[in-house]
PDB file of all heavy atoms in Angstrom:
ATOM      1  N   ASP A  65      19.960  10.605 -12.688  1.00  0.00           N
ATOM      2  CA  ASP A  65      19.281   9.526 -11.964  1.00  0.00           C
ATOM      3  C   ASP A  65      18.073   9.996 -11.171  1.00  0.00           C
ATOM      4  O   ASP A  65      17.620   9.308 -10.251  1.00  0.00           O
ATOM      5  CB  ASP A  65      20.260   8.796 -11.025  1.00  0.00           C
ATOM      6  CG  ASP A  65      21.318   8.030 -11.796  1.00  0.00           C
ATOM      7  OD1 ASP A  65      20.991   7.519 -12.890  1.00  0.00           O
ATOM      8  OD2 ASP A  65      22.454   7.962 -11.318  1.00  0.00           O
ATOM      9  N   GLU A  66      17.566  11.184 -11.469  1.00  0.00           N
ATOM     10  CA  GLU A  66      16.348  11.674 -10.846  1.00  0.00           C
ATOM     11  C   GLU A  66      15.283  11.905 -11.907  1.00  0.00           C
ATOM     12  O   GLU A  66      15.596  12.292 -13.038  1.00  0.00           O
ATOM     13  CB  GLU A  66      16.592  12.979 -10.090  1.00  0.00           C
ATOM     14  CG  GLU A  66      17.326  12.807  -8.770  1.00  0.00           C
ATOM     15  CD  GLU A  66      17.324  14.108  -7.967  1.00  0.00           C
ATOM     16  OE1 GLU A  66      17.350  15.197  -8.586  1.00  0.00           O
ATOM     17  OE2 GLU A  66      17.304  14.034  -6.729  1.00  0.00           O
ATOM     18  N   LEU A  67      14.035  11.658 -11.533  1.00  0.00           N
ATOM     19  CA  LEU A  67      12.929  11.930 -12.427  1.00  0.00           C
ATOM     20  C   LEU A  67      12.663  13.434 -12.444  1.00  0.00           C
ATOM     21  O   LEU A  67      12.468  14.053 -11.401  1.00  0.00           O
ATOM     22  CB  LEU A  67      11.670  11.190 -11.964  1.00  0.00           C
ATOM     23  CG  LEU A  67      10.375  11.474 -12.740  1.00  0.00           C
ATOM     24  CD1 LEU A  67      10.507  11.047 -14.194  1.00  0.00           C
ATOM     25  CD2 LEU A  67       9.194  10.783 -12.072  1.00  0.00           C
ATOM     26  N   SER A  68      12.675  14.016 -13.625  1.00  0.00           N
ATOM     27  CA  SER A  68      12.368  15.432 -13.789  1.00  0.00           C
ATOM     28  C   SER A  68      11.054  15.544 -14.545  1.00  0.00           C
ATOM     29  O   SER A  68      10.885  14.950 -15.615  1.00  0.00           O
ATOM     30  CB  SER A  68      13.491  16.129 -14.563  1.00  0.00           C
ATOM     31  OG  SER A  68      13.172  17.491 -14.776  1.00  0.00           O
ATOM     32  N   LEU A  69      10.098  16.274 -13.985  1.00  0.00           N
ATOM     33  CA  LEU A  69       8.792  16.453 -14.609  1.00  0.00           C
ATOM     34  C   LEU A  69       8.569  17.923 -14.930  1.00  0.00           C
ATOM     35  O   LEU A  69       8.794  18.789 -14.083  1.00  0.00           O
ATOM     36  CB  LEU A  69       7.678  15.970 -13.670  1.00  0.00           C
ATOM     37  CG  LEU A  69       7.685  14.491 -13.291  1.00  0.00           C
ATOM     38  CD1 LEU A  69       6.572  14.195 -12.292  1.00  0.00           C
ATOM     39  CD2 LEU A  69       7.544  13.607 -14.527  1.00  0.00           C
ATOM     40  N   ASP A  70       8.111  18.187 -16.131  1.00  0.00           N
ATOM     41  CA  ASP A  70       7.803  19.549 -16.543  1.00  0.00           C
ATOM     42  C   ASP A  70       6.373  19.862 -16.112  1.00  0.00           C
ATOM     43  O   ASP A  70       5.442  19.848 -16.918  1.00  0.00           O
ATOM     44  CB  ASP A  70       7.959  19.689 -18.059  1.00  0.00           C
ATOM     45  CG  ASP A  70       7.684  21.107 -18.552  1.00  0.00           C
ATOM     46  OD1 ASP A  70       7.548  22.019 -17.704  1.00  0.00           O
ATOM     47  OD2 ASP A  70       7.589  21.293 -19.782  1.00  0.00           O
ATOM     48  N   LEU A  71       6.201  20.148 -14.826  1.00  0.00           N
ATOM     49  CA  LEU A  71       4.865  20.400 -14.287  1.00  0.00           C
ATOM     50  C   LEU A  71       4.269  21.685 -14.840  1.00  0.00           C
ATOM     51  O   LEU A  71       3.054  21.777 -15.040  1.00  0.00           O
ATOM     52  CB  LEU A  71       4.927  20.457 -12.755  1.00  0.00           C
ATOM     53  CG  LEU A  71       5.318  19.146 -12.059  1.00  0.00           C
ATOM     54  CD1 LEU A  71       5.451  19.357 -10.556  1.00  0.00           C
ATOM     55  CD2 LEU A  71       4.316  18.047 -12.354  1.00  0.00           C
ATOM     56  N   LEU A  72       5.114  22.663 -15.119  1.00  0.00           N
ATOM     57  CA  LEU A  72       4.610  23.908 -15.707  1.00  0.00           C
ATOM     58  C   LEU A  72       4.106  23.655 -17.127  1.00  0.00           C
ATOM     59  O   LEU A  72       3.018  24.097 -17.513  1.00  0.00           O
ATOM     60  CB  LEU A  72       5.696  24.977 -15.701  1.00  0.00           C
ATOM     61  CG  LEU A  72       5.309  26.346 -16.279  1.00  0.00           C
ATOM     62  CD1 LEU A  72       4.147  26.957 -15.488  1.00  0.00           C
ATOM     63  CD2 LEU A  72       6.518  27.282 -16.281  1.00  0.00           C
ATOM     64  N   GLY A  73       4.888  22.911 -17.897  1.00  0.00           N
ATOM     65  CA  GLY A  73       4.501  22.606 -19.263  1.00  0.00           C
ATOM     66  C   GLY A  73       3.237  21.775 -19.352  1.00  0.00           C
ATOM     67  O   GLY A  73       2.496  21.868 -20.340  1.00  0.00           O
ATOM     68  N   SER A  74       2.970  20.984 -18.325  1.00  0.00           N
ATOM     69  CA  SER A  74       1.767  20.152 -18.326  1.00  0.00           C
ATOM     70  C   SER A  74       0.495  20.981 -18.211  1.00  0.00           C
ATOM     71  O   SER A  74      -0.596  20.510 -18.534  1.00  0.00           O
ATOM     72  CB  SER A  74       1.818  19.141 -17.174  1.00  0.00           C
ATOM     73  OG  SER A  74       1.625  19.796 -15.925  1.00  0.00           O
ATOM     74  N   GLY A  75       0.632  22.214 -17.714  1.00  0.00           N
ATOM     75  CA  GLY A  75      -0.517  23.094 -17.568  1.00  0.00           C
ATOM     76  C   GLY A  75      -1.337  22.847 -16.321  1.00  0.00           C
ATOM     77  O   GLY A  75      -2.360  23.507 -16.108  1.00  0.00           O
ATOM     78  N   ILE A  76      -0.895  21.916 -15.478  1.00  0.00           N
ATOM     79  CA  ILE A  76      -1.658  21.598 -14.270  1.00  0.00           C
ATOM     80  C   ILE A  76      -1.485  22.687 -13.217  1.00  0.00           C
ATOM     81  O   ILE A  76      -2.434  23.027 -12.493  1.00  0.00           O
ATOM     82  CB  ILE A  76      -1.218  20.230 -13.709  1.00  0.00           C
ATOM     83  CG1 ILE A  76      -1.497  19.132 -14.731  1.00  0.00           C
ATOM     84  CG2 ILE A  76      -1.929  19.929 -12.391  1.00  0.00           C
ATOM     85  CD1 ILE A  76      -0.917  17.789 -14.354  1.00  0.00           C
ATOM     86  N   PHE A  77      -0.277  23.240 -13.134  1.00  0.00           N
ATOM     87  CA  PHE A  77       0.023  24.263 -12.131  1.00  0.00           C
ATOM     88  C   PHE A  77       0.608  25.496 -12.805  1.00  0.00           C
ATOM     89  O   PHE A  77       1.295  25.393 -13.829  1.00  0.00           O
ATOM     90  CB  PHE A  77       1.008  23.728 -11.086  1.00  0.00           C
ATOM     91  CG  PHE A  77       0.599  22.433 -10.449  1.00  0.00           C
ATOM     92  CD1 PHE A  77       1.238  21.246 -10.780  1.00  0.00           C
ATOM     93  CD2 PHE A  77      -0.444  22.399  -9.532  1.00  0.00           C
ATOM     94  CE1 PHE A  77       0.862  20.050 -10.199  1.00  0.00           C
ATOM     95  CE2 PHE A  77      -0.830  21.209  -8.949  1.00  0.00           C
ATOM     96  CZ  PHE A  77      -0.187  20.030  -9.278  1.00  0.00           C
ATOM     97  N   SER A  78       0.369  26.656 -12.199  1.00  0.00           N
ATOM     98  CA  SER A  78       0.953  27.890 -12.708  1.00  0.00           C
ATOM     99  C   SER A  78       2.369  28.067 -12.167  1.00  0.00           C
ATOM    100  O   SER A  78       2.776  27.397 -11.209  1.00  0.00           O
ATOM    101  CB  SER A  78       0.099  29.084 -12.279  1.00  0.00           C
ATOM    102  OG  SER A  78       0.206  29.284 -10.869  1.00  0.00           O
ATOM    103  N   ALA A  79       3.106  28.976 -12.768  1.00  0.00           N
ATOM    104  CA  ALA A  79       4.462  29.261 -12.309  1.00  0.00           C
ATOM    105  C   ALA A  79       4.452  29.757 -10.863  1.00  0.00           C
ATOM    106  O   ALA A  79       5.325  29.399 -10.057  1.00  0.00           O
ATOM    107  CB  ALA A  79       5.115  30.290 -13.232  1.00  0.00           C
ATOM    108  N   GLU A  80       3.467  30.574 -10.518  1.00  0.00           N
ATOM    109  CA  GLU A  80       3.362  31.099  -9.154  1.00  0.00           C
ATOM    110  C   GLU A  80       3.099  29.986  -8.152  1.00  0.00           C
ATOM    111  O   GLU A  80       3.685  29.953  -7.054  1.00  0.00           O
ATOM    112  CB  GLU A  80       2.252  32.149  -9.074  1.00  0.00           C
ATOM    113  CG  GLU A  80       2.526  33.430  -9.847  1.00  0.00           C
ATOM    114  CD  GLU A  80       2.329  33.276 -11.351  1.00  0.00           C
ATOM    115  OE1 GLU A  80       1.748  32.243 -11.779  1.00  0.00           O
ATOM    116  OE2 GLU A  80       2.764  34.174 -12.093  1.00  0.00           O
ATOM    117  N   GLU A  81       2.224  29.070  -8.509  1.00  0.00           N
ATOM    118  CA  GLU A  81       1.915  27.949  -7.610  1.00  0.00           C
ATOM    119  C   GLU A  81       3.132  27.058  -7.411  1.00  0.00           C
ATOM    120  O   GLU A  81       3.430  26.636  -6.288  1.00  0.00           O
ATOM    121  CB  GLU A  81       0.749  27.139  -8.179  1.00  0.00           C
ATOM    122  CG  GLU A  81      -0.581  27.873  -8.099  1.00  0.00           C
ATOM    123  CD  GLU A  81      -1.666  27.229  -8.939  1.00  0.00           C
ATOM    124  OE1 GLU A  81      -1.347  26.407  -9.828  1.00  0.00           O
ATOM    125  OE2 GLU A  81      -2.848  27.553  -8.718  1.00  0.00           O
ATOM    126  N   LEU A  82       3.860  26.783  -8.474  1.00  0.00           N
ATOM    127  CA  LEU A  82       5.043  25.926  -8.365  1.00  0.00           C
ATOM    128  C   LEU A  82       6.147  26.605  -7.563  1.00  0.00           C
ATOM    129  O   LEU A  82       6.911  25.936  -6.856  1.00  0.00           O
ATOM    130  CB  LEU A  82       5.550  25.566  -9.765  1.00  0.00           C
ATOM    131  CG  LEU A  82       4.658  24.598 -10.553  1.00  0.00           C
ATOM    132  CD1 LEU A  82       5.108  24.515 -12.006  1.00  0.00           C
ATOM    133  CD2 LEU A  82       4.678  23.215  -9.911  1.00  0.00           C
TER     134      LEU A  82
END
Side-chain angles (χ1 to χ4, degrees):
D65 293 326
E66 285 190 327
L67 175 62
S68 177
L69 298 177
D70 181 9
L71 295 176
L72 180 60
S74 72
I76 298 172
F77 307 106
S78 69
E80 293 77 13
E81 289 167 343
L82 289 169

